[in-house]
Amino acid sequence: MPLVNMKKMLIDAVDGGYAVGAFNILDYNSMRAVIDCAKELNAPVIVQTSVKTVKLWGQKAMASWARELCDSCAVPVALHLDHCTDVDYVAQCIDHGWSSVMIDASAQSFETNLEWTTRVVGMAKPHNISVEAELGAIVGVEDDIFVQERDAHLADPDLSEQFCQAVDIDCFAPAIGTAHGIYKGEPVIAYDLIESITKRTRIPLALHGGTGLSDEVFKKCIALGCAKINISTQLKHVFIDSFVEYVRDHSTEYNPLKPLASQYDALKQNIAEKIILFGSAGKAGQEKM
Ligand code: 13P
């Protein structure tokens, strides 16, 4: 099937009490691992692309990989642009066939964030493309965005409601205490804030900073309205470690296809564990029409 946007898959996830995994891919091998895994588990999935990764491979190439991999698959797959801080770059990805985009103007004032998000919604909606926006400041490093602990702040529930009433987004990413990268200690998740924002916005929430959260934390967040869960750092580690370990254990082989196959298998295994944990396995094809 063609790429789909993430609006319906996230509404279905909220209604069904599960979440859809959004996996940051790094190249064709990792994109293939995400989509093949979703196919095998009959799960809706979000192939998430960081801006730096898109700049490395080019928009045309990445969109064509996604289209080619999805043509032969029966599960819904969204190609989503993660944390883009540049409205013009979002426009280019829309032109190249991304089915979903995130405009991250969270470092701007509330008014500017709203203005940029409104511009992106205006560009995306006529093409049936879903939009995610962020409020508050999520600590850690994602792509070229670095938020230090002292600059991080949680989303304000009043402003969240005001924001989501003012602009027609499909997914809302409030800062709720999670962090991008590796957690240094036990994360303090503001569950009451998640609950209040869900009630007041009625928009599926994105949980950023999925790497390193416990199964229990994921389950609690899903029950409170987090319908999209982002996993990036974990896959970066698996991507490198699986390749390096294979080469280390077969140091005389020099057959590049073998470490790539080992990397693909390791990524798939990690992705499968998360899809099963989030409850989205078996949910493709069960979407409401
Ligand atoms: P992690 O790198 O912590 O998995 O976070 C991913 C993310 O939120 C991407 O936007």
Side-chain angles (χ1 to χ4, degrees):
M1 69 165 77
L3 290 165
V4 298
N5 72 36
M6 57 182 197
K7 183 183 175 94
K8 195 170 131 32
M9 60 169 92
L10 296 186
I11 291 174
D12 287 341
V14 171
D15 290 349
Y18 60 92
V20 180
F23 301 100
N24 287 63
I25 56 95
L26 297 146
D27 64 353
Y28 183 79
N29 207 28
S30 45
M31 187 189 280
R32 198 168 63 97
V34 171
I35 294 174
D36 287 352
C37 195
K39 278 200 241 178
E40 280 168 30
L41 292 172
N42 196 32
V45 82
I46 297 162
V47 171
Q48 192 151 263
T49 60
S50 304
V51 174
K52 254 190 188 170
T53 310
V54 184
K55 287 187 174 165
L56 173 69
W57 299 112
Q59 291 152 325
K60 204 171 161 194
M62 286 193 97
S64 76
W65 303 341
R67 273 195 294 268
E68 185 256 326
L69 289 165
C70 288
D71 268 357
S72 60
C73 93
V75 299
V77 178
L79 178 64
H80 180 72
L81 181 67
D82 196 21
H83 286 288
C84 189
T85 54
D86 176 351
V87 174
D88 292 336
Y89 201 75
V90 172
Q92 287 175 33
C93 287
I94 289 175
D95 286 347
H96 280 85
W98 262 251
S99 61
S100 187
V101 292
M102 175 181 189
I103 175 69
D104 179 358
S106 59
Q108 310 300 320
S109 67
F110 179 84
E111 291 71 25
T112 306
N113 191 348
L114 196 54
E115 186 204 317
W116 290 14
T117 306
T118 304
R119 275 169 59 201
V120 167
V121 167
M123 295 178 327
K125 290 286 144 133
H127 301 283
N128 203 20
I129 288 162
S130 48
V131 177
E132 174 181 344
E134 175 174 329
L135 203 64
I138 299 171
V139 77
V141 186
E142 180 54 45
D143 225 22
D144 279 336
I145 306 166
F146 178 35
V147 179
Q148 286 192 318
E149 232 151 300
R150 63 178 158 79
D151 298 322
H153 56 270
L154 300 185
D156 176 273
D158 292 331
L159 290 179
S160 298
E161 184 176 354
Q162 202 182 318
F163 190 89
C164 293
Q165 272 178 0
V167 62
D168 181 21
I169 52 174
D170 307 290
C171 181
F172 183 50
I176 43 95
T178 56
H180 293 126
I182 302 287
Y183 290 99
K184 292 191 200 90
E186 196 60 38
V188 182
I189 314 290
Y191 294 110
D192 50 343
L193 181 62
I194 305 179
E195 190 172 12
S196 144
I197 292 177
T198 296
K199 275 197 189 129
R200 293 174 68 171
T201 64
R202 305 204 163 274
I203 295 190
L205 302 187
L207 182 72
H208 283 249
T211 297
L213 296 179
S214 68
D215 294 4
E216 197 204 339
V217 169
F218 280 128
K219 285 186 177 156
K220 264 173 126 168
C221 292
I222 293 170
L224 293 172
C226 292
K228 169 178 183 269
I229 299 184
N230 290 3
I231 306 284
S232 175
T233 303
Q234 179 182 342
L235 298 185
K236 286 184 195 165
H237 283 237
V238 174
F239 185 90
I240 291 181
D241 290 347
S242 57
F243 194 99
V244 168
E245 274 161 29
Y246 186 93
V247 174
R248 193 195 52 209
D249 294 346
H250 305 80
S251 59
T252 54
E253 214 171 62
Y254 284 97
N255 179 349
L257 297 184
K258 291 212 172 164
L260 285 174
S262 171
Q263 183 187 61
Y264 168 84
D265 289 341
L267 286 167
K268 248 176 86 181
Q269 192 190 323
N270 272 261
I271 294 159
E273 283 165 11
K274 287 291 179 274
I275 288 178
I276 291 165
L277 177 66
F278 300 160
S280 55
K283 296 295 195 295
Q286 288 189 5
E287 297 90 3
K288 290 186 230 134
M289 301 313 273

